Short mmCIF file of all heavy atoms in Angstrom, two decimals:
data_model
loop_
_atom_site.label_atom_id
_atom_site.label_comp_id
_atom_site.label_asym_id
_atom_site.label_seq_id
_atom_site.Cartn_x
_atom_site.Cartn_y
_atom_site.Cartn_z
N SER A 1 4.74 -20.88 -2.15
CA SER A 1 3.90 -20.20 -1.17
C SER A 1 2.86 -21.15 -0.61
O SER A 1 2.47 -22.13 -1.26
CB SER A 1 3.19 -19.01 -1.83
OG SER A 1 2.25 -18.42 -0.95
N MET A 2 2.37 -20.85 0.60
CA MET A 2 1.26 -21.62 1.17
C MET A 2 -0.06 -21.23 0.55
O MET A 2 -1.05 -21.95 0.69
CB MET A 2 1.22 -21.42 2.69
CG MET A 2 2.30 -22.17 3.43
SD MET A 2 2.14 -22.07 5.23
CE MET A 2 2.94 -20.52 5.53
N ALA A 3 -0.10 -20.09 -0.14
CA ALA A 3 -1.31 -19.64 -0.84
C ALA A 3 -1.07 -19.71 -2.33
O ALA A 3 0.07 -19.77 -2.80
CB ALA A 3 -1.65 -18.21 -0.43
N GLY A 4 -2.18 -19.72 -3.09
CA GLY A 4 -2.05 -19.82 -4.54
C GLY A 4 -2.85 -18.74 -5.24
O GLY A 4 -3.50 -17.90 -4.61
N ASN A 5 -2.81 -18.78 -6.56
CA ASN A 5 -3.55 -17.83 -7.38
C ASN A 5 -4.97 -18.35 -7.60
O ASN A 5 -5.15 -19.45 -8.12
CB ASN A 5 -2.84 -17.65 -8.73
CG ASN A 5 -3.42 -16.52 -9.55
OD1 ASN A 5 -4.53 -16.05 -9.31
ND2 ASN A 5 -2.67 -16.06 -10.53
N THR A 6 -5.97 -17.58 -7.20
CA THR A 6 -7.36 -18.03 -7.32
C THR A 6 -7.96 -17.75 -8.69
O THR A 6 -9.08 -18.20 -8.97
CB THR A 6 -8.24 -17.35 -6.25
OG1 THR A 6 -8.23 -15.93 -6.47
CG2 THR A 6 -7.74 -17.67 -4.85
N ASP A 7 -7.27 -16.99 -9.54
CA ASP A 7 -7.81 -16.63 -10.86
C ASP A 7 -8.32 -17.88 -11.58
O ASP A 7 -7.55 -18.84 -11.79
CB ASP A 7 -6.71 -15.97 -11.69
CG ASP A 7 -7.21 -15.38 -13.00
OD1 ASP A 7 -8.10 -15.99 -13.63
OD2 ASP A 7 -6.71 -14.33 -13.41
N PRO A 8 -9.59 -17.91 -11.97
CA PRO A 8 -10.15 -19.11 -12.60
C PRO A 8 -9.50 -19.47 -13.94
O PRO A 8 -9.63 -20.61 -14.40
CB PRO A 8 -11.64 -18.75 -12.81
CG PRO A 8 -11.90 -17.62 -11.88
CD PRO A 8 -10.62 -16.86 -11.79
N ASN A 9 -8.80 -18.52 -14.55
CA ASN A 9 -8.20 -18.76 -15.86
C ASN A 9 -6.72 -19.10 -15.78
O ASN A 9 -6.07 -19.25 -16.82
CB ASN A 9 -8.39 -17.53 -16.75
CG ASN A 9 -9.86 -17.21 -16.98
OD1 ASN A 9 -10.64 -18.10 -17.31
ND2 ASN A 9 -10.24 -15.97 -16.77
N ILE A 10 -6.20 -19.23 -14.57
CA ILE A 10 -4.78 -19.55 -14.39
C ILE A 10 -4.67 -20.75 -13.45
O ILE A 10 -5.27 -20.74 -12.37
CB ILE A 10 -4.00 -18.35 -13.82
CG1 ILE A 10 -4.03 -17.18 -14.81
CG2 ILE A 10 -2.56 -18.73 -13.50
CD1 ILE A 10 -3.38 -15.92 -14.29
N GLU A 11 -3.90 -21.76 -13.84
CA GLU A 11 -3.71 -22.93 -13.00
C GLU A 11 -2.30 -22.95 -12.42
O GLU A 11 -1.32 -22.68 -13.12
CB GLU A 11 -3.96 -24.21 -13.80
CG GLU A 11 -5.40 -24.37 -14.26
CD GLU A 11 -6.40 -24.37 -13.11
OE1 GLU A 11 -6.07 -24.86 -12.01
OE2 GLU A 11 -7.51 -23.85 -13.30
N SER A 12 -2.21 -23.28 -11.14
CA SER A 12 -0.92 -23.31 -10.44
C SER A 12 -0.42 -24.74 -10.28
O SER A 12 -1.20 -25.69 -10.16
CB SER A 12 -1.06 -22.70 -9.04
OG SER A 12 -1.58 -21.39 -9.09
N PHE A 13 0.91 -24.89 -10.27
CA PHE A 13 1.53 -26.17 -9.91
C PHE A 13 1.50 -26.32 -8.40
O PHE A 13 1.71 -25.35 -7.67
CB PHE A 13 2.98 -26.21 -10.37
CG PHE A 13 3.17 -26.42 -11.85
CD1 PHE A 13 3.44 -25.35 -12.69
CD2 PHE A 13 3.09 -27.69 -12.40
CE1 PHE A 13 3.63 -25.54 -14.05
CE2 PHE A 13 3.29 -27.90 -13.76
CZ PHE A 13 3.55 -26.82 -14.59
N GLN A 14 1.27 -27.55 -7.93
CA GLN A 14 1.26 -27.85 -6.50
C GLN A 14 2.41 -28.79 -6.17
O GLN A 14 2.72 -29.70 -6.94
CB GLN A 14 -0.05 -28.52 -6.11
CG GLN A 14 -1.30 -27.75 -6.47
CD GLN A 14 -2.56 -28.55 -6.18
OE1 GLN A 14 -2.68 -29.17 -5.13
NE2 GLN A 14 -3.50 -28.53 -7.12
N LEU A 15 3.02 -28.57 -5.01
CA LEU A 15 4.11 -29.42 -4.54
C LEU A 15 3.85 -29.81 -3.09
O LEU A 15 3.15 -29.11 -2.36
CB LEU A 15 5.44 -28.67 -4.63
CG LEU A 15 5.92 -28.24 -6.03
CD1 LEU A 15 7.13 -27.35 -5.92
CD2 LEU A 15 6.23 -29.46 -6.88
N GLU A 16 4.42 -30.94 -2.67
CA GLU A 16 4.29 -31.39 -1.29
C GLU A 16 5.66 -31.32 -0.60
O GLU A 16 6.63 -31.92 -1.06
CB GLU A 16 3.75 -32.82 -1.23
CG GLU A 16 2.31 -32.96 -1.71
CD GLU A 16 1.30 -32.27 -0.80
OE1 GLU A 16 1.53 -32.25 0.43
OE2 GLU A 16 0.31 -31.74 -1.34
N PHE A 17 5.72 -30.60 0.50
CA PHE A 17 6.93 -30.48 1.30
C PHE A 17 6.97 -31.62 2.30
O PHE A 17 6.00 -31.87 3.02
CB PHE A 17 6.93 -29.13 2.02
CG PHE A 17 8.08 -28.92 2.97
CD1 PHE A 17 9.37 -28.84 2.49
CD2 PHE A 17 7.85 -28.79 4.33
CE1 PHE A 17 10.43 -28.65 3.36
CE2 PHE A 17 8.91 -28.60 5.21
CZ PHE A 17 10.20 -28.53 4.72
N THR A 18 8.09 -32.34 2.37
CA THR A 18 8.18 -33.53 3.24
C THR A 18 9.02 -33.27 4.49
O THR A 18 9.34 -34.20 5.23
CB THR A 18 8.78 -34.71 2.47
OG1 THR A 18 10.10 -34.36 1.99
CG2 THR A 18 7.90 -35.09 1.28
N GLY A 19 9.39 -32.03 4.74
CA GLY A 19 10.21 -31.69 5.88
C GLY A 19 9.41 -31.56 7.17
O GLY A 19 8.26 -32.00 7.25
N PRO A 20 9.99 -30.93 8.18
CA PRO A 20 9.34 -30.84 9.50
C PRO A 20 8.01 -30.09 9.46
O PRO A 20 7.87 -29.10 8.74
CB PRO A 20 10.37 -30.08 10.36
CG PRO A 20 11.27 -29.41 9.38
CD PRO A 20 11.31 -30.27 8.17
N LYS A 21 7.07 -30.54 10.24
CA LYS A 21 5.74 -29.91 10.29
C LYS A 21 5.81 -28.48 10.81
O LYS A 21 4.94 -27.67 10.53
CB LYS A 21 4.80 -30.74 11.16
CG LYS A 21 4.47 -32.10 10.56
CD LYS A 21 3.49 -32.87 11.43
CE LYS A 21 3.15 -34.21 10.80
NZ LYS A 21 2.20 -35.00 11.64
N SER A 22 6.84 -28.18 11.58
CA SER A 22 6.98 -26.83 12.12
C SER A 22 7.18 -25.79 11.03
O SER A 22 7.02 -24.59 11.27
CB SER A 22 8.16 -26.78 13.09
OG SER A 22 9.37 -27.13 12.43
N ALA A 23 7.53 -26.25 9.81
CA ALA A 23 7.74 -25.32 8.70
C ALA A 23 6.44 -24.82 8.10
O ALA A 23 6.44 -23.94 7.25
CB ALA A 23 8.59 -25.98 7.62
N GLY A 24 5.32 -25.41 8.54
CA GLY A 24 4.03 -24.94 8.02
C GLY A 24 3.37 -25.97 7.13
O GLY A 24 3.77 -27.13 7.07
N ALA A 25 2.32 -25.53 6.44
CA ALA A 25 1.53 -26.43 5.60
C ALA A 25 2.41 -27.14 4.59
O ALA A 25 3.25 -26.50 3.93
CB ALA A 25 0.44 -25.64 4.88
N PRO A 26 2.25 -28.45 4.43
CA PRO A 26 3.10 -29.18 3.49
C PRO A 26 2.79 -28.88 2.02
O PRO A 26 3.70 -28.93 1.19
CB PRO A 26 2.80 -30.65 3.81
CG PRO A 26 1.44 -30.65 4.42
CD PRO A 26 1.35 -29.36 5.18
N ARG A 27 1.55 -28.55 1.71
CA ARG A 27 1.22 -28.25 0.32
C ARG A 27 1.64 -26.83 -0.01
O ARG A 27 1.23 -25.87 0.64
CB ARG A 27 -0.25 -28.44 0.04
CG ARG A 27 -0.66 -28.01 -1.39
CD ARG A 27 -1.92 -28.65 -1.85
NE ARG A 27 -1.77 -30.09 -1.97
CZ ARG A 27 -2.72 -30.91 -2.41
NH1 ARG A 27 -3.91 -30.42 -2.76
NH2 ARG A 27 -2.52 -32.20 -2.49
N ARG A 28 2.43 -26.69 -1.05
CA ARG A 28 2.91 -25.39 -1.49
C ARG A 28 2.55 -25.19 -2.97
O ARG A 28 2.39 -26.15 -3.71
CB ARG A 28 4.42 -25.26 -1.31
CG ARG A 28 4.87 -25.41 0.16
CD ARG A 28 4.40 -24.25 1.01
NE ARG A 28 4.53 -24.52 2.43
CZ ARG A 28 5.17 -23.73 3.28
NH1 ARG A 28 5.70 -22.60 2.86
NH2 ARG A 28 5.23 -24.04 4.56
N TRP A 29 2.48 -23.92 -3.35
CA TRP A 29 2.05 -23.56 -4.70
C TRP A 29 3.16 -22.76 -5.36
O TRP A 29 3.66 -21.79 -4.80
CB TRP A 29 0.76 -22.73 -4.64
CG TRP A 29 -0.35 -23.46 -3.93
CD1 TRP A 29 -0.49 -23.62 -2.58
CD2 TRP A 29 -1.45 -24.15 -4.53
NE1 TRP A 29 -1.61 -24.36 -2.30
CE2 TRP A 29 -2.23 -24.70 -3.48
CE3 TRP A 29 -1.87 -24.33 -5.85
CZ2 TRP A 29 -3.38 -25.43 -3.71
CZ3 TRP A 29 -3.02 -25.06 -6.09
CH2 TRP A 29 -3.77 -25.61 -5.02
N LEU A 30 3.56 -23.18 -6.56
CA LEU A 30 4.54 -22.41 -7.31
C LEU A 30 3.88 -21.12 -7.80
O LEU A 30 2.76 -21.14 -8.30
CB LEU A 30 5.05 -23.21 -8.51
CG LEU A 30 6.23 -24.16 -8.25
CD1 LEU A 30 6.47 -25.04 -9.48
CD2 LEU A 30 7.48 -23.39 -7.90
N ARG A 31 4.58 -20.03 -7.69
CA ARG A 31 3.99 -18.73 -8.01
C ARG A 31 3.66 -18.62 -9.50
O ARG A 31 4.42 -19.09 -10.37
CB ARG A 31 4.92 -17.60 -7.60
CG ARG A 31 6.21 -17.51 -8.40
CD ARG A 31 7.08 -16.40 -7.87
NE ARG A 31 8.29 -16.23 -8.70
CZ ARG A 31 9.23 -15.35 -8.44
NH1 ARG A 31 9.13 -14.55 -7.37
NH2 ARG A 31 10.29 -15.24 -9.22
N THR A 32 2.56 -17.98 -9.79
CA THR A 32 2.21 -17.63 -11.17
C THR A 32 2.63 -16.20 -11.48
O THR A 32 2.66 -15.80 -12.63
CB THR A 32 0.70 -17.79 -11.42
OG1 THR A 32 -0.02 -16.93 -10.53
CG2 THR A 32 0.26 -19.23 -11.19
N SER A 33 2.93 -15.45 -10.43
CA SER A 33 3.55 -14.13 -10.55
C SER A 33 4.05 -13.77 -9.15
O SER A 33 3.62 -14.38 -8.16
CB SER A 33 2.54 -13.08 -11.04
OG SER A 33 1.91 -12.42 -9.97
N PRO A 34 4.95 -12.78 -9.02
CA PRO A 34 5.43 -12.37 -7.70
C PRO A 34 4.55 -11.30 -7.06
O PRO A 34 4.94 -10.67 -6.08
CB PRO A 34 6.82 -11.84 -8.00
CG PRO A 34 6.70 -11.25 -9.36
CD PRO A 34 5.72 -12.13 -10.11
N GLU A 35 3.35 -11.10 -7.56
CA GLU A 35 2.51 -9.96 -7.17
C GLU A 35 2.24 -9.89 -5.67
O GLU A 35 2.41 -8.83 -5.04
CB GLU A 35 1.19 -10.01 -7.93
CG GLU A 35 0.23 -8.88 -7.57
CD GLU A 35 -0.96 -8.82 -8.51
OE1 GLU A 35 -1.09 -9.70 -9.37
OE2 GLU A 35 -1.75 -7.87 -8.37
N PHE A 36 1.80 -10.99 -5.08
CA PHE A 36 1.38 -10.93 -3.67
C PHE A 36 2.53 -10.59 -2.73
O PHE A 36 2.39 -9.68 -1.89
CB PHE A 36 0.71 -12.24 -3.26
CG PHE A 36 -0.60 -12.51 -3.98
CD1 PHE A 36 -1.29 -13.70 -3.77
CD2 PHE A 36 -1.16 -11.59 -4.86
CE1 PHE A 36 -2.49 -13.97 -4.42
CE2 PHE A 36 -2.36 -11.84 -5.51
CZ PHE A 36 -3.02 -13.04 -5.29
#
């Protein structure tokens, strides 16, 4: 996701997308839950 979990007690993995800029923000966050 382009957004991440803000919970101060949970840390998210971050990844960098190297594809076309039209796909959106290159930094993506692996989900900590499917809630959102």
Side-chain angles (χ1 to χ4, degrees):
S1 173
M2 285 186 276
N5 189 343
T6 62
D7 188 323
N9 299 312
I10 297 175
E11 295 302 326
S12 305
F13 285 100
Q14 304 174 44
L15 298 171
E16 293 293 326
F17 176 66
T18 60
K21 293 182 179 179
S22 60
R27 175 158 295 183
R28 300 292 167 127
W29 303 77
L30 274 171
R31 68 182 184 182
T32 60
S33 93
E35 179 170 5
F36 294 176

